[in-house]
């Protein structure tokens, strides 16, 4: 009967042959170091786990009820030698694990630029990392290559032995960017930027995916990853550049809408400031950017002028469909502000006499437009709310 039970387990063991142990067979130096840390930590813990499990079976067998030859000492309660073994061995292992964790936390910090390509190869001083801007969408991945001026959906390609600098954010909900063959998992959060430095040391074709549940299409939120030599990478870039697709703000608002199983898409041109607008959550027309809002708040805000600086959202996007509160009104957003000179340049208005702005040593910076220019003696609270809203409005000369 015992042999029949063991034979019944054979199909279960055979099913493990389909497993892909990609985490233990990485192609990137960062992933390889993380694998080594995982293996060493596991072996250290097994130094305690295996003896404890073996001794559990040994004591159960030795002191079984039918073994009358075993020594029975019900009054026994203490042994200094045994106490030293029981406490010193785990303590030493914990110290070793703590040291490994401390060193690994600093050496494998995803924000830390790489100082080596492989164990025996340092990064040349003249090497420029490949920058890739990653945006987690519902339910797909957008990759922007600012140096090459291209973008892709659900396909990531990198050259071998060149450091890669990922800048990662999300459009609406929290996600997790994970390419097991390249490096560890890094979270992607809306309105925030995380970073990851990694390198691929050999050609490979694998895939990456989201490791954080984000809704109905989560199971299909994966992308192709390919590490190639420099010539093949340049050929891939040329293929993407040949695409007629243009990734501007309107195109981004279209692809931002939730969709599943999106095929690989290439964009031959990309707006240079699109990623910053995504990061600052101001791709929508007229919406104030987070960086602009923080800069205004740091200067004391807009005073009473900010009361009416909120308008209903008219552009239907992924975030618009989720916006607003459960029992509240329609979703709204804070309108960006701009100078009269910028409005005059953008709109077909009659000539407006130039106003002398105050020279402020603390200019407002960000993706959005800056704080309105103020004449001497004015404050933001003195401005009309209508003068702050982007749109076809005639400006006052006063």
């Amino acid at each position: 009967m015992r042999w029949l039970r063991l034979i019944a387990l054979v199909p279960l063991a055979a099913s493990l042959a389909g497993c892909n142990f990609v985490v233990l067979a990485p192609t990137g130096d960062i992933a390889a170091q993380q694998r080594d840390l995982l293996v060493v930590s596991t072996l250290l813990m097994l130094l305690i786990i295996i003896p404890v499990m073996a001794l559990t079976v040994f004591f159960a067998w030795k002191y079984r009820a039918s073994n009358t030859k075993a020594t029975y000492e019900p009054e026994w309660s203490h042994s200094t030698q045994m106490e030293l073994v029981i406490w010193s061995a785990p303590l030493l292992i914990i110290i070793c694990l703590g040291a490994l964790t401390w060193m690994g936390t600093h050496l494998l910090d995803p924000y830390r630029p790489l100082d080596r390509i492989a164990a025996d190869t340092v990064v040349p001083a003249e090497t420029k990392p490949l920058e890739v801007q990653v945006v987690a969408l519902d339910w797909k991945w957008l990759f922007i290559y600012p140096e090459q001026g291209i973008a892709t959906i659900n396909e990531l390609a990198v050259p071998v032995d060149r450091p890669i600098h990922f800048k990662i954010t999300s459009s609406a909900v929290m996600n997790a960017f994970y390419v097991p063959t390249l490096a560890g998992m890094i979270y992607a959060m809306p309105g925030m930027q995380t970073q990851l430095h990694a390198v691929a040391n050999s050609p490979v074709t694998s895939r990456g995916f989201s490791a954080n549940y984000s809704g109905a299409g989560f199971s299909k939120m994966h992308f192709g990853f390919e590490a190639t030599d420099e010539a093949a990478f340049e050929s891939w870039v040329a293929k993407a550049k040949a695409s007629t697709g243009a990734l501007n703000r309107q195109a981004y608002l279209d692809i931002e809408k939730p969709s599943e199983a999106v095929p690989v898409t290439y964009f031959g041109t990309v707006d240079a400031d699109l990623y910053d607008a995504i990061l600052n959550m101001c791709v929508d027309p007229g919406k104030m950017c987070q960086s602009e809002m923080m800069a205004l708040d740091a200067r004391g805000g807009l005073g009473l002028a900010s009361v009416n600086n909120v308008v209903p959202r008219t552009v239907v996007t992924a975030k618009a469909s989720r916006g607003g509160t459960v029992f509240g009104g329609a979703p709204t957003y804070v309108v960006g502000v701009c100078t009269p000179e910028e409005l005059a340049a953008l709109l077909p208005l009659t000539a407006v006499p130039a106003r002398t702005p105050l020279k402020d040593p603390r200019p407002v910076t960000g993706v959005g437009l800056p704080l309105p220019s103020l004449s001497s003696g004015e404050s933001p609270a003195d401005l009309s709310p209508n003068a702050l809203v982007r749109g076809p409005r005639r400006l006052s000369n006063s």
Side-chain angles (χ1 to χ4, degrees), residues 168-181:
I168 307 168
T169 189
S170 176
S171 65
V173 298
M174 182 174 175
N175 265 289
F177 175 73
Y178 187 30
V179 184
T181 61

Side-chain angles (χ1 to χ4, degrees), residues 327-364:
F327 300 105
T332 60
Y333 64 85
V334 179
V335 182
V337 296
C338 55
T339 65
E341 289 78 11
E342 287 167 330
L343 280 177
L346 294 173
L347 303 177
L349 302 178
T350 58
V352 178
R355 303 170 65 188
T356 304
L358 291 176
K359 293 183 178 180
D360 195 327
R362 303 167 299 167
V364 177

Side-chain angles (χ1 to χ4, degrees), residues 167-248:
K167 294 181 178 179
I168 307 168
T169 189
S170 176
S171 65
V173 298
M174 182 174 175
N175 265 289
F177 175 73
Y178 187 30
V179 184
T181 61
L182 189 66
M185 180 186 70
I186 302 296
Y187 283 114
M189 293 166 282
M192 300 176 64
Q193 176 179 279
T194 52
Q195 299 182 50
L196 173 64
H197 289 84
V199 64
N201 297 117
S202 60
V204 66
T205 299
S206 62
R207 73 170 190 168
F209 52 89
S210 173
N212 190 79
Y213 182 74
S214 58
F218 163 75
S219 61
K220 299 178 181 178
M221 192 174 173
H222 49 77
F223 58 90
F225 171 71
E226 187 172 3
T228 64
D229 57 43
E230 191 68 34
F233 176 73
E234 292 299 332
S235 176
W236 178 85
V237 171
K239 181 179 70 172
K241 279 184 174 292
S243 171
T244 58
L247 185 59
N248 51 33

Side-chain angles (χ1 to χ4, degrees), residues 103-124:
M103 291 186 295
T105 300
H106 292 279
L107 293 176
L108 301 177
D109 181 2
Y111 283 61
R112 181 175 179 263
L114 301 184
D115 55 9
R116 77 180 206 184
I117 295 176
D120 55 351
T121 307
V122 299
V123 177

Side-chain angles (χ1 to χ4, degrees), residues 67-321:
N67 186 11
T68 58
K69 296 181 180 180
T71 304
Y72 177 64
E73 297 182 5
E75 302 300 325
W76 182 89
S77 62
H78 178 74
S79 171
T80 302
Q81 293 81 1
M82 186 172 292
E83 291 285 346
L84 288 174
V85 173
I86 290 175
W87 291 105
S88 61
L91 180 60
L92 290 174
I93 292 176
I94 290 173
I95 292 174
C96 293
L97 285 173
L100 283 174
T101 303
W102 187 87
M103 291 186 295
T105 300
H106 292 279
L107 293 176
L108 301 177
D109 181 2
Y111 283 61
R112 181 175 179 263
L114 301 184
D115 55 9
R116 77 180 206 184
I117 295 176
D120 55 351
T121 307
V122 299
V123 177
E126 67 279 4
T127 300
K128 181 181 179 182
L130 172 68
E131 182 176 322
V132 182
Q133 298 165 344
V134 183
V135 183
L137 303 168
D138 290 338
W139 287 276
K140 49 197 169 287
W141 291 92
L142 172 65
F143 302 101
I144 301 174
Y145 294 75
E147 179 184 342
Q148 290 74 21
I150 61 172
T152 66
I153 293 179
N154 286 343
E155 184 170 279
L156 172 64
V158 299
V160 171
D161 289 339
R162 181 179 176 183
I164 312 162
H165 180 200
F166 293 101
K167 294 181 178 179
I168 307 168
T169 189
S170 176
S171 65
V173 298
M174 182 174 175
N175 265 289
F177 175 73
Y178 187 30
V179 184
T181 61
L182 189 66
M185 180 186 70
I186 302 296
Y187 283 114
M189 293 166 282
M192 300 176 64
Q193 176 179 279
T194 52
Q195 299 182 50
L196 173 64
H197 289 84
V199 64
N201 297 117
S202 60
V204 66
T205 299
S206 62
R207 73 170 190 168
F209 52 89
S210 173
N212 190 79
Y213 182 74
S214 58
F218 163 75
S219 61
K220 299 178 181 178
M221 192 174 173
H222 49 77
F223 58 90
F225 171 71
E226 187 172 3
T228 64
D229 57 43
E230 191 68 34
F233 176 73
E234 292 299 332
S235 176
W236 178 85
V237 171
K239 181 179 70 172
K241 279 184 174 292
S243 171
T244 58
L247 185 59
N248 51 33
R249 295 198 178 205
Q250 184 55 52
Y252 173 80
L253 292 176
D254 292 336
I255 67 174
E256 186 189 35
K257 298 174 183 178
S259 56
E260 300 180 28
V262 178
V264 175
T265 308
Y266 301 100
F267 298 93
T269 58
V270 182
D271 279 4
D273 62 346
L274 178 61
Y275 176 77
D276 289 333
I278 297 171
L279 177 61
N280 284 281
M281 306 180 74
C282 57
V283 180
D284 305 88
K287 185 178 179 181
M288 181 180 288
C289 297
Q290 284 191 142
S291 58
E292 183 181 5
M293 185 179 297
M294 289 186 289
L296 292 173
D297 291 342
R299 297 177 58 173
L302 291 177
L304 294 177
S306 64
V307 174
N308 296 321
N309 201 30
V310 178
V311 298
R313 188 185 296 270
T314 57
V315 178
V316 179
T317 64
K319 289 188 280 293
S321 63

